[in-house]
């Protein structure tokens, strides 16, 4: 099979000028490529996890499939105002302003081992905020797992202290 990165479409200047958007829909529509990416993510997890936390929304696609493969819990970290029951919120910085993610208070039992899954690591703010939610609930972060890492943005710096796994790395735009 071709390398996984050949299935990622780079869309220049989306959603705004200067951003090279890494479009995964071109990977998802190819059944072998999607399966191969899940195989590799499953392998990269190495070791036991009890819970996969997927970040809205592309983290749901990979996270939920992985949780099913591993036979473990799937927990969504959602954009504000979407979760119906009592939730915790963590804010994080964007280039302009802030955004937030929420998780249900009863989503993770104290002491459970957690992997945080998303499609892409850029500056790391989103994943770091998700880690704060997990740890506030008493979860133990086993690792972060991404399909894609934009290494030139140094997102790992924000995630230090924990294992970070990614399948595809881009050294520049
Ligand atoms: P960050 O908090 O900067 O690490 O941003 C990560 C989140 O933004 C992930 O949920 C990604 O899906 C999305 N994202 C950021 N930059 C890009 C990009 N260049 N292409 C696709 N998605 C991106």
């Amino acid at each position: 099979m071709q390398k996984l990165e050949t299935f990622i479409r780079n869309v220049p200047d989306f959603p705004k000028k200067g951003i090279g958007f890494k479009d995964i829909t071109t990977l998802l529509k190819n059944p072998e490529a999607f399966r191969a990416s899940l195989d590799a993510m499953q392998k990269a997890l190495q070791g036991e996890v009890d819970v996969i936390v997927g970040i809205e929304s592309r983290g749901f696609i990979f996270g939920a499939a992985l949780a099913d493969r591993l036979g473990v819990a799937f927990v969504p970290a959602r954009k504000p105002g979407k979760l119906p029951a009592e939730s915790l919120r963590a804010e994080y910085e964007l280039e302009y302003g802030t955004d937030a993610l929420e998780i249900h208070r009863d989503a993770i039992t104290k002491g459970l081992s957690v992997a945080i899954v998303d499609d892409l690591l850029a500056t790391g703010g989103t994943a770091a905020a998700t880690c704060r939610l997990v740890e506030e609930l008493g979860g133990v972060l086993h690792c972060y797992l991404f399909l894609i890492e934009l290494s030139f943005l140094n997102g790992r710096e924000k995630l230090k202290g924990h294992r970070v796994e990614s399948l595809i790395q881009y050294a520049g735009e």
Side-chain angles (χ1 to χ4, degrees):
M1 211 191 67
Q2 292 163 247
K3 283 185 150 191
L4 280 182
E5 44 265 62
T6 62
F7 294 95
I8 310 284
R9 171 164 58 192
N10 188 62
V11 183
D13 298 324
F14 183 88
K16 56 184 182 192
K17 219 173 166 32
I19 305 284
F21 192 86
K22 302 291 180 269
D23 178 17
I24 57 157
T25 64
T26 37
L27 178 144
L28 297 174
K29 73 174 184 180
N30 182 299
E32 288 86 37
F34 185 33
R35 180 167 295 154
S37 61
L38 289 170
D39 288 344
M41 286 175 102
Q42 189 174 355
K43 216 164 144 195
L45 267 183
Q46 297 163 18
E48 298 289 304
V49 293
D50 305 304
V51 182
I52 301 273
V53 172
I55 301 177
E56 186 165 354
S57 57
R58 291 183 294 273
F60 295 174
I61 299 168
F62 295 96
L66 281 170
D68 178 62
R69 281 177 169 222
L70 298 169
V72 302
F74 177 76
V75 168
R78 298 217 61 183
K79 300 277 166 60
K82 303 280 188 187
L83 289 172
E86 204 189 326
S87 303
L88 283 182
R89 172 186 293 220
E91 302 207 335
Y92 55 96
E93 301 288 323
L94 295 176
E95 202 177 341
Y96 303 103
T98 62
D99 209 342
L101 281 170
E102 294 181 349
I103 199 165
H104 273 147
R105 271 193 186 276
D106 61 1
I108 298 170
T109 309
K110 207 165 185 262
L112 291 185
S113 172
V114 176
I116 292 176
V117 174
D118 203 358
D119 68 326
L120 183 142
L121 170 63
T123 66
T126 313
T130 308
C131 179
R132 293 202 296 279
L133 292 172
V134 166
E135 291 183 337
E136 226 174 301
L137 294 179
V140 178
L141 190 66
H142 175 72
C143 71
Y144 295 98
L145 175 59
F146 304 93
L147 179 69
I148 302 166
E149 175 178 1
L150 304 183
S151 322
F152 58 97
L153 294 176
N154 292 321
R156 274 174 190 262
E157 237 341 86
K158 246 186 216 133
L159 309 183
K160 62 173 182 263
H162 296 286
R163 191 153 70 82
V164 180
E165 300 286 347
S166 63
L167 303 189
I168 303 168
Q169 295 84 24
Y170 290 86
E173 276 290 349

